[in-house]
Amino acid sequence: MRLLLATTNQGKIKELNKILGDEGFALEGLGKQAAEVEESGATFAENALLKARYHHQRTGLVTIADDSGLEVEALNGQPGIYSARYAGAGASDLDRINKLLQEIKEVPDAQRAARFVCVAALVWQGGERVFVGEVRGQLLRATRGDNGFGYDPIFYFAPLGKSFAELSDAEKTAISHRGVAFRQLAQWLKEHWQEVEERYRRYAGKDCADD
Ligand code: ITT
């Protein structure tokens, strides 16, 4: 049985293959030509499900998709689901960071809490589930570090005394919102894989009177 990860983001595919690979699963990403699904939901979960349902319907494969972003306490949870679009179309990671730093420049250090959230959705014949991960940190006043992507250079994680962009890939996966959500998903799949496969067999044999 193949697992589809509904993203064209190669970094994501690599990171998540590592997590799911540890549990014996292999993921394949979407081809470069894959249609973009409009993220029109009002929550991370709705957007993740929209993507996973679309590609599951198209391919019939057990499909995983995620949506993630940064919620800033002083901005009542913004940019949230708009994290990728925060500085408009065509903007770079640095543009988004600069816009956010500008927006919160008057916010004192003690009130610069933020969290990364990731919702991973799993859709298969006859079922769907979502898994949520989050990690809490503080927003810095200037960037630190060159690793990672997105808002990593301004997200400070006090327990390690580093920004997310100062962590190695393995360190980040061990604590990140995406790592947390996908480890739960991997664990669930491991425990329920037979059930999921059985469902496929029944659908394939059109033996699903109770569906
Ligand atoms: P998809 O094709 O899978 O949708 P994406 O790059 O748009 O990939 P997301 O929708 O999951 O990724 O993420 C939305 C934005 O949230 C992303 O562009 C970053 O700006 C921010 N973000 C999410 N996870 C992050 C992380 O681990 N570190 C830094 N920024 C992150």
Side-chain angles (χ1 to χ4, degrees):
M1 185 83 70
R2 290 145 71 207
L3 284 181
L4 177 67
L5 179 63
T7 184
T8 54
N9 180 328
Q10 293 304 314
K12 238 184 217 184
I13 296 167
K14 199 171 141 216
E15 181 184 359
L16 300 179
N17 247 322
K18 190 151 183 351
I19 296 175
L20 283 146
D22 288 347
E23 301 295 348
F25 294 104
L27 291 176
E28 53 190 82
L30 295 173
K32 283 201 181 78
Q33 311 303 328
E36 282 262 327
V37 178
E38 198 195 339
E39 298 188 357
S40 55
T43 62
F44 292 116
E46 283 177 20
N47 283 337
L49 279 166
L50 277 174
K51 285 191 267 188
R53 284 178 191 145
Y54 173 83
H55 289 289
H56 172 256
Q57 246 163 31
R58 200 176 58 81
T59 62
L61 298 173
V62 178
T63 303
I64 297 168
D66 76 328
D67 193 32
S68 60
L70 180 72
E71 294 187 342
V72 178
E73 206 171 282
L75 299 177
N76 298 316
Q78 295 301 311
I81 59 168
Y82 303 105
S83 295
R85 302 164 262 177
Y86 186 50
S92 66
D93 279 345
L94 193 58
D95 295 333
R96 286 182 278 274
I97 286 177
N98 286 335
K99 177 171 176 187
L100 180 56
L101 288 179
Q102 179 65 23
E103 204 84 45
I104 59 167
K105 70 173 189 300
E106 309 295 349
V107 177
D109 289 353
Q111 289 162 32
R112 295 172 73 90
R115 62 174 192 158
F116 277 124
V117 180
C118 172
V119 176
L122 175 69
V123 175
W124 73 99
Q125 299 281 23
E128 49 188 45
R129 285 191 77 92
V130 293
F131 304 86
V132 183
E134 69 158 49
V135 58
R136 291 174 179 274
Q138 305 290 320
L139 294 180
L140 295 165
R141 291 185 181 277
T143 60
R144 268 175 64 168
D146 303 312
N147 297 332
F149 70 102
Y151 300 90
D152 282 344
I154 53 167
F155 188 84
Y156 181 73
F157 186 66
L160 294 180
K162 292 178 181 174
S163 82
F164 261 27
E166 292 174 314
L167 302 177
S168 66
D169 291 352
E171 278 176 321
K172 184 176 167 190
T173 299
I175 54 169
S176 78
H177 49 313
R178 198 166 296 107
V180 171
F182 275 84
R183 277 190 295 275
Q184 286 179 48
L185 184 149
Q187 187 58 37
W188 188 92
L189 261 183
K190 201 174 141 188
E191 286 166 13
H192 295 84
W193 187 244
Q194 278 193 327
E195 215 176 282
V196 172
E197 262 194 321
E198 177 61 20
R199 206 66 185 190
Y200 268 88
R201 260 185 244 117
R202 290 168 63 209
Y203 268 88
K206 308 240 180 303
D207 173 21
C208 41
D210 60 339
D211 297 317

